[in-house]
Amino acid sequence: MFYNRSVMDWLEKLTLLSQDHDLEVDEEPNVGRETLPACHTSRASGAASRLLDHISHVILSGGQKVPVLKVLLTSVCEYNCAYCPFRAGRDFRRATFAPEELAQAFLQIYRAGLVKGLFLSSGVVGGGVRTQDRLIATAEILRNRLGFDGYLHLKLMPGAEAAQVEHAVALASRVSINLEMPGATYLKQLAPRKAPGSALLEPLQQAHRAAQNLQFGPKRRRVSLSTQFVVGIGETDAELLRTTAYLYRQLGLSRVYYSAFHPIAQTPLEDHPPENPVRALRLYQASFLLRDYGFSFEELPLTAGGRLDLNVDPKTAWARQYLTHPLEVNRASREELLRVPGIGPKSAQAIVRARRFTRLRDLQQLRQLGVNVNRAVPYLLLDGHHPEQQLTLGF
């Protein structure tokens, strides 16, 4: 099925429209061929094996890892974003799928068992409204005519109209629009044609309202929202995380992504130094404290210059400063346990449940509950004793 001429044509297009698409971050981007499940590798051969270069993975709310094709509808773009490989005027070979063509191509890949979902974005041609119409048309063909009911991540285009946003939310599993930078000054430098309010933040706010209506409406379906920032153009961690806190609290985003800047040839920032990927890691860790661990922005361990410490994760940095007295595991609240390095939401809940039936007295019990005891030990008491003392007495 992968060797007729028409399929080879769209495989070529797929290669052109998926290269450099790693700038669009999803849950686990760029999963290599060597880490794909054996069923995927064994079923791919010949021309089909080229598809594996364009497969990423997302993790659904239940923890399931799903292989996803990540592709642009077109790599033609009228925007001149300073960092983007698809910017207007850059000299490279471009390609475009028609909505019907891409829907049919994806369905063949899906039926071959290579992917279970689609992450669909696009360059902007003829304005955000026209481009959004083409993305929605592709999604409609997949959902309504071809019967695809799997994971579908749809990008919202800058300037998309409210009715388009609502329609995209009704079709998708996830929608997103990239805010790019945490303020108008930075955005003007990075993406001069994008207005941060009406073009970017407003569609995200509209998507939040549409997702709320869908979640609590008669058909009750949950749609997640996400966005992405480019990291390394002069912004501070404080600026990024203050905006992140707003997005989690006010707009209910399920994820904020941070893409460490790396220079692209033939762009205005080709000589700008790449950002240290450790900085993006620390931003992710801090954002999880905001989303999952009950931290406020004001509690994050930022320097006077608004930076996170690159040498230590932010939860440990906070604990070293504020957890000066160890917590008794058998009495601490779930909220207090979540502040301890090595204890996450699942292990904190597991501790609370276990205490109803038994008293926790040794590290092995904590290990069985999912606690990273090496990180947690300095901040805990077990039945009134430091865990290290218990280990000594146990031998």
Side-chain angles (χ1 to χ4, degrees):
M1 102 184 233
F2 285 103
Y3 290 91
N4 66 65
R5 179 61 189 167
S6 63
V7 171
M8 291 300 293
D9 287 344
W10 63 251
L11 277 172
E12 182 67 22
K13 281 189 181 182
L14 185 64
T15 299
L16 293 172
L17 291 167
S18 296
Q19 63 187 10
D20 292 320
H21 199 22
D22 57 330
L23 292 177
E24 289 281 9
V25 184
D26 214 345
E27 291 288 348
E28 292 186 72
N30 299 326
V31 176
R33 182 177 309 183
E34 68 279 1
T35 61
L36 283 172
C39 60
H40 292 177
T41 304
S42 63
R43 296 185 67 175
S45 61
S49 66
R50 294 161 56 189
L51 294 171
L52 297 178
D53 295 329
H54 313 301
I55 295 175
S56 301
H57 284 69
V58 299
I59 298 178
L60 305 184
S61 57
Q64 180 186 8
K65 184 185 287 188
V66 175
V68 171
L69 178 69
K70 187 186 294 185
V71 67
L72 296 170
L73 195 58
T74 180
S75 55
V76 179
C77 192
E78 62 196 33
Y79 281 7
N80 59 343
C81 301
Y83 70 97
C84 183
F86 307 111
R87 73 187 310 269
R90 186 168 180 262
D91 184 18
F92 73 101
R93 187 181 174 192
R94 301 178 188 258
T96 299
F97 272 118
E100 175 79 26
E101 182 185 20
L102 180 55
Q104 292 288 352
F106 168 75
L107 196 67
Q108 290 190 57
I109 302 168
Y110 173 70
R111 286 175 173 170
L114 296 173
V115 297
K116 293 185 178 179
L118 175 66
F119 180 164
L120 181 59
S121 186
S122 182
V124 178
V125 182
V129 172
R130 181 174 180 271
T131 304
Q132 193 69 58
D133 275 341
R134 289 170 58 79
L135 290 169
I136 289 172
T138 308
E140 284 183 324
I141 293 168
L142 282 169
R143 291 294 200 215
N144 301 334
R145 186 146 59 80
L146 301 180
F148 172 67
D149 61 357
Y151 178 86
L152 176 59
H153 181 160
L154 274 182
K155 297 298 290 190
L156 300 176
M157 294 293 101
E161 295 177 342
Q164 292 178 310
V165 173
E166 186 173 346
H167 199 171
V169 169
L171 290 165
S173 312
R174 169 175 286 184
V175 296
S176 64
I177 186 168
N178 294 349
L179 295 181
E180 312 286 18
M181 298 299 290
T185 301
Y186 298 117
L187 190 65
K188 186 176 181 180
Q189 176 186 358
L190 192 70
R193 291 194 57 183
K194 293 181 180 178
S198 59
L200 300 179
L201 186 58
E202 191 172 312
L204 200 55
Q205 294 168 332
Q206 293 164 347
H208 170 63
R209 291 192 290 270
Q212 289 288 99
N213 292 338
L214 195 60
Q215 182 177 354
F216 298 106
K219 295 186 178 180
R220 295 207 175 186
R221 186 170 68 85
R222 182 172 176 80
V223 177
S224 62
L225 278 61
S226 67
T227 193
Q228 177 175 300
F229 293 108
V230 179
V231 177
I233 311 296
E235 75 298 326
T236 66
D237 296 337
E239 291 168 318
L240 287 165
L241 291 168
R242 185 181 290 110
T243 305
T244 297
Y246 164 78
L247 294 171
Y248 283 146
R249 299 285 185 269
Q250 302 301 318
L251 298 187
L253 265 68
S254 62
R255 189 71 178 266
V256 174
Y257 294 99
Y258 305 97
S259 179
F261 172 81
H262 64 271
I264 302 290
Q266 300 178 45
T267 66
L269 295 176
E270 64 180 349
D271 296 323
H272 191 88
E275 184 53 84
N276 185 346
V278 176
R279 184 182 174 209
L281 171 64
R282 297 298 180 226
L283 285 165
Y284 276 119
Q285 291 169 333
S287 77
F288 297 152
L289 296 185
L290 295 170
R291 188 188 68 176
D292 301 327
Y293 290 80
F295 281 72
S296 66
F297 166 76
E298 291 74 18
E299 291 179 290
L300 296 178
L302 295 160
T303 67
R307 296 283 181 170
L308 295 166
D309 189 339
L310 296 184
N311 296 312
V312 62
D313 74 90
K315 190 176 183 184
T316 297
W318 181 89
R320 288 175 179 174
Q321 185 174 357
Y322 294 105
L323 284 184
T324 55
H325 301 287
L327 292 173
E328 170 55 60
V329 173
N330 290 285
R331 292 196 301 269
S333 67
R334 180 179 181 275
E335 291 70 27
E336 289 173 322
L337 291 169
L338 281 174
R339 299 296 176 109
V340 176
I343 298 181
K346 290 183 179 179
S347 53
Q349 190 60 42
I351 289 171
V352 172
R353 285 197 302 266
R355 293 186 321 204
R356 299 172 188 165
F357 308 102
T358 188
R359 193 160 185 84
L360 301 174
R361 291 188 171 89
D362 62 66
L363 290 177
Q364 185 57 30
Q365 289 175 296
L366 294 186
R367 287 192 184 94
Q368 291 172 348
L369 296 173
V371 174
N372 183 333
V373 296
N374 292 331
R375 296 185 64 208
V377 155
Y379 308 101
L380 298 178
L381 292 176
L382 278 168
D383 204 20
H385 300 282
H386 287 288
E388 298 95 331
Q389 294 174 353
Q390 285 197 323
L391 282 176
T392 301
L393 292 173
F395 285 99

